[in-house]
């Protein structure tokens, strides 16, 4: 479990002396800054011997005064500790883009009404979890087959003829027949894609009581090819999983796509849509809670951000560990653990390498600390 928090602490990132075992028990001031105490030289050092001079005994060779600083002349001078400011990182939840496509044919009256009734609670559950969700709907409006119009707050509040609420909700008004749901997704890409975002997790939800004209492999290849952001999409299907009176045909193509992409499968024959939407919303939320990207904290007032003076530490039940930086995602495979900037030219976030993210998620408790002000440790 990664614990998000936001607190600033002034300290040092040199030796461990003075570093607390945990951050509990520190008293923060009104500005959120907690002092760990000043470290380093106190300015009151004196020479070991008063005056610092020794006279040689009469008759000793040289006879000149000797300078005595009271230390071992072969000892290396201590390095001054690097002053730093640290922040417990706030995990960033990935946004979610969700595309619904609903069969509007004559046998879909109950199913269309159920989708219309559940879309608001579905979206609000996702938004309440902290996930930034955009929803697109491919369907006709009421009066054109069994069409759908979504009320506020997800929709724009002008039903039954209009419900667009850009950029949160986009309704692509087109009739979806018994067999062309997947074709409509591809054909109308230009209409639903404007509200989609490149960094969002993509979900497609199909609701139909029939089979698709387009094969699973054909759709999968075509959909991925529309945008690089579709590479890891998930398709969820509310279709017939068996022969039943409520469905025209088993949705084998949709079943295959859900299995291919790790989506949720629900049996339309059950005619109980509330738990289905609950399961899909939970899947959307879980897919967005990847604690692998962290916002870089603001430097203290009067200080400027230096991308070469950032370090990442992990405090967990395994102890304390410093994670080194790599140049980018392509370098992650060359190290055991690492992190990189989302944008090397204008960094806003720190991104953990996939293997490092996987390690974080195995911890029962972990706190990600971002330190500013000390030379960056490079991963080896």
């Amino acid at each position: 479990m990664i614990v998000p928090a936001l607190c600033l602490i002034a300290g040092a990132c040199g030796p461990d002396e003075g570093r607390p075992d945990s951050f509990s028990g520190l008293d923060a001031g009104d500005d959120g800054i907690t002092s760990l105490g000043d470290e380093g030289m106190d300015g009151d050092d004196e020479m070991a011997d008063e005056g610092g001079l020794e006279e040689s005994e009469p008759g000793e060779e040289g006879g000149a005064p000797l300078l005595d600083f009271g230390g071992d002349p072969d000892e290396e001078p201590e390095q001054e500790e690097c002053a730093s400011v640290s922040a417990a990182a706030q995990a960033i939840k990935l946004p979610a883009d969700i595309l619904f496509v609903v069969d509007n044919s004559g046998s879909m009256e109950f199913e269309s009404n159920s989708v219309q009734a559940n879309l608001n609670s579905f979206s609000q559950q996702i938004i309440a979890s902290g996930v930034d969700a955009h929803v697109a709907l491919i369907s006709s409006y009421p009066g054109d087959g069994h069409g759908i119009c979504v009320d506020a707050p997800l929709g724009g509040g002008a039903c039954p003829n209009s419900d667009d609420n850009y950029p949160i909700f986009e309704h692509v008004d087109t009739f979806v027949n018994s067999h062309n749901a997947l074709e409509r997704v591809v054909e109308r890409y230009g209409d639903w894609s404007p509200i989609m975002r490149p960094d969002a997790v993509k979900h497609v939800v199909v609701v139909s009581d029939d089979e698709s004209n387009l094969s699973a492999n054909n759709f999968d290849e075509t959909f991925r090819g529309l945008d690089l952001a579709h590479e890891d999409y998930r398709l969820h299907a509310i279709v017939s999983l068996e022969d039943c009176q409520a469905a025209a045909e088993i949705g084998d193509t949709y079943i295959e796509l859900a299995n291919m992409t790790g989506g949720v499968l629900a049996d339309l024959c059950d005619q109980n849509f509330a738990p289905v939407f609950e399961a899909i919303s939970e899947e959307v939320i879980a897919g967005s809670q990847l604690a692998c990207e962290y916002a870089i904290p603001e430097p203290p007032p009067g200080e400027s951000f230096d991308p070469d003076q950032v370090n990442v530490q992990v405090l967990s039940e395994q102890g304390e560990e410093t994670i080194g930086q790599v140049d980018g995602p392509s370098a992650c495979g060359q190290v055991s653990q690492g992190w990189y900037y989302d944008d090397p030219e204008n960094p806003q976030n720190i991104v953990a390498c996939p293997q490092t993210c996987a390690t974080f998620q195995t911890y029962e408790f972990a706190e990600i600390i971002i330190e500013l002000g000390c030379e960056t440790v490079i991963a080896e």
Side-chain angles (χ1 to χ4, degrees), residues 307-328:
D308 295 324
Q309 293 187 351
V310 177
N311 285 290
V312 176
Q313 286 193 325
V314 185
L315 304 179
S316 72
E317 67 269 18
Q318 301 297 322
E320 180 177 340
E321 180 183 7
T322 297
I323 308 296
Q325 183 193 17
V326 297
D327 290 334

Side-chain angles (χ1 to χ4, degrees), residues 102-134:
V102 182
D103 180 349
N104 304 128
S105 63
S107 58
M108 287 286 292
E109 180 178 6
F110 176 82
E111 292 82 1
S112 294
N113 289 337
S114 296
V115 171
Q116 181 173 290
N118 282 279
L119 266 179
N120 263 302
S121 59
F122 168 82
S123 62
Q124 291 307 306
Q125 180 176 345
I126 295 170
I127 293 168
S129 75
V131 175
D132 179 11
H134 285 188

Side-chain angles (χ1 to χ4, degrees), residues 44 48 76 80 84 92-93 99 110 117 144 180 196 215 262 299 332:
D44 295 329
E76 290 288 335
E80 184 177 353
S84 72
I92 297 173
K93 293 183 179 180
L99 173 63
F110 176 82
D144 184 8
N180 71 350
M196 304 293 167
S215 71
C332 284

Side-chain angles (χ1 to χ4, degrees), residues 107 178-179 209-211 240 243-250 268:
S107 58
S178 297
H179 307 287
D209 67 351
D210 219 321
E211 175 61 313
S240 173
D243 288 324
C244 68
Q245 290 185 345
E249 192 173 346
I250 295 174
L268 180 139

Side-chain angles (χ1 to χ4, degrees), residues 50-68:
E50 190 173 351
L53 300 178
E54 290 184 2
E55 291 186 355
S56 59
E57 294 294 326
E60 270 189 355
E61 186 176 353
L66 302 177
L67 295 178
D68 179 8

Side-chain angles (χ1 to χ4, degrees), residues 220-294:
D220 182 67
E221 181 179 352
T222 304
F223 187 75
R224 292 179 193 272
L226 291 174
D227 195 306
L228 290 175
H230 297 174
E231 182 62 29
D232 296 318
Y233 82 99
R234 293 184 180 183
L235 187 139
H236 313 285
I238 305 174
V239 298
S240 173
L241 305 185
E242 58 188 355
D243 288 324
C244 68
Q245 290 185 345
E249 192 173 346
I250 295 174
D252 289 324
T253 297
Y254 307 117
I255 295 169
E256 184 177 353
L257 281 166
N259 288 328
M260 286 171 58
T261 63
V264 172
L265 265 176
D267 195 350
L268 180 139
C269 295
D270 290 340
Q271 298 287 283
N272 186 6
F273 279 68
V276 173
F277 276 84
E278 177 84 13
I280 296 174
S281 66
E282 289 175 357
E283 182 67 23
V284 171
I285 293 167
S288 296
Q289 290 180 324
L290 300 178
C292 298
E293 188 168 347
Y294 305 92

